[in-house]
Amino acid sequence: MFSLRGMNALVTGASGGIGSSICRALAAQGARLAISGSNASKLRAFRDELNDQFNHDAGAHVEITCNLGDTTQVEELIPATVDTLGGIDILVNNAGITRDNLAMRMKDEEWDDVIRINLEAAFRLMRASARPMMKNRFGRIITITSVVGATGNPGQMNYAAAKAGLVGMTKSFAQEVASRGITANCVAPGFIRTAMTDVLPDAQKDALNARIPMGRMGEGEDIGAAVAYLASKEAGYVTGQTLHVNGGMAMMS
């Protein structure tokens, strides 16, 4: 169940904490990966790690460097994936940035950067992936949003707007491509333990955990498992949905 053997997947923001967990989850189920990010040396190291651990019969995993803030590079990413892997079955829009500030102090560039990378780049990749997926009458698009896209968060108007926008965009796209065997869904993480959260003071970690009914932060593997399910053939009747993975911190209807 949930085998992805024979499928080709592109994951953006692949070498980060959540991104690397998503890649390992997909590779473990047999998918062949194109991993993308802006740090070439970090990508190469992670590619080698994946190939050492998950080099299935389909062939080696590959890396494609891309700066999602550069429109030209974004537009070239799907064609490069298809050329390198021979096709694309799964797109995971995971990459994102933060430029936190209170609304009254937020600079135009802080707004523009977050919207361009977190929202616009995902739109461009979804649009570009539609043609090859429609031709094959199969596709899985999974976009990583955030709990703050549903709840808001002070100091993150730009980030919350982008993440909420991804949900609406995904619902619209899902309706457009459903008849062609393509699904489009979101995964909305809550507080996930990463290298960034590990360095927080214990008092701050305790305060965060107190907001979560399960009493702990999630792990990257929790997000990877959700993505692997939505990427599978078994999830073929699930589309236009947002799967919240937050330990009960915010219970969405």
Side-chain angles (χ1 to χ4, degrees):
M1 182 175 278
F2 306 150
S3 172
L4 305 178
R5 188 171 292 275
M7 295 190 194
N8 297 315
L10 168 64
V11 181
T12 66
S15 59
I18 291 177
S20 61
S21 293
I22 290 171
C23 290
R24 291 187 184 97
L26 297 179
Q29 298 306 316
R32 186 183 180 200
L33 303 183
I35 61 172
S36 184
S38 58
N39 187 323
S41 60
K42 194 173 181 181
L43 273 182
R44 283 192 296 270
F46 185 49
R47 175 207 60 193
D48 292 343
E49 177 187 328
L50 288 174
N51 281 325
D52 287 343
Q53 189 173 3
F54 304 109
N55 190 354
H56 300 287
D57 296 338
H61 307 294
V62 300
E63 90 281 2
I64 305 175
T65 305
C66 180
N67 174 9
L68 293 183
D70 184 321
T71 299
T72 300
Q73 291 187 38
V74 175
E75 294 289 357
E76 292 172 349
L77 185 52
I78 297 295
T81 300
V82 173
D83 289 345
T84 305
L85 296 183
I88 181 169
D89 305 292
I90 302 162
L91 166 64
V92 183
N93 288 310
N94 168 69
I97 63 169
T98 57
R99 297 287 185 268
D100 296 350
N101 215 338
L102 294 175
M104 291 178 63
R105 299 174 183 169
M106 185 171 290
K107 300 177 178 64
D108 288 350
E109 55 267 28
E110 292 172 335
W111 173 271
D112 292 341
D113 288 349
V114 169
I115 297 300
R116 183 183 308 110
I117 292 174
N118 294 17
L119 182 62
E120 182 182 324
F123 158 70
R124 292 183 181 278
L125 294 176
M126 291 168 73
R127 180 177 64 181
S129 69
R131 190 172 300 278
M133 288 182 179
M134 290 174 73
K135 184 177 180 181
N136 293 333
R137 301 193 70 83
F138 180 88
R140 297 286 184 265
I141 296 174
I142 302 109
T143 297
I144 307 303
T145 60
S146 170
V147 64
V148 306
T151 65
N153 200 38
Q156 289 193 311
M157 183 181 285
N158 49 2
Y159 186 77
K163 293 300 187 179
L166 289 170
V167 173
M169 186 169 73
T170 296
K171 289 180 179 180
S172 298
F173 190 76
Q175 294 179 53
E176 293 180 12
V177 299
S179 65
R180 302 300 184 94
I182 303 169
T183 66
N185 294 286
C186 293
V187 174
F191 291 125
I192 303 299
R193 192 170 68 84
T194 64
M196 288 189 296
T197 59
D198 283 345
V199 300
L200 293 175
D202 288 342
Q204 192 169 352
K205 290 180 186 177
D206 291 343
L208 292 175
N209 290 335
R211 298 170 58 185
I212 305 170
M214 286 190 173
R216 62 173 179 84
M217 295 185 195
E219 302 291 338
E221 290 79 5
D222 296 319
I223 307 305
V227 171
Y229 162 66
L230 291 173
S232 70
K233 292 179 180 178
E234 287 83 354
Y237 203 56
V238 179
T239 196
Q241 305 302 313
T242 298
L243 178 55
H244 289 270
V245 185
N246 60 36
M249 186 184 77
M251 299 188 184
M252 309 298 178
S253 60

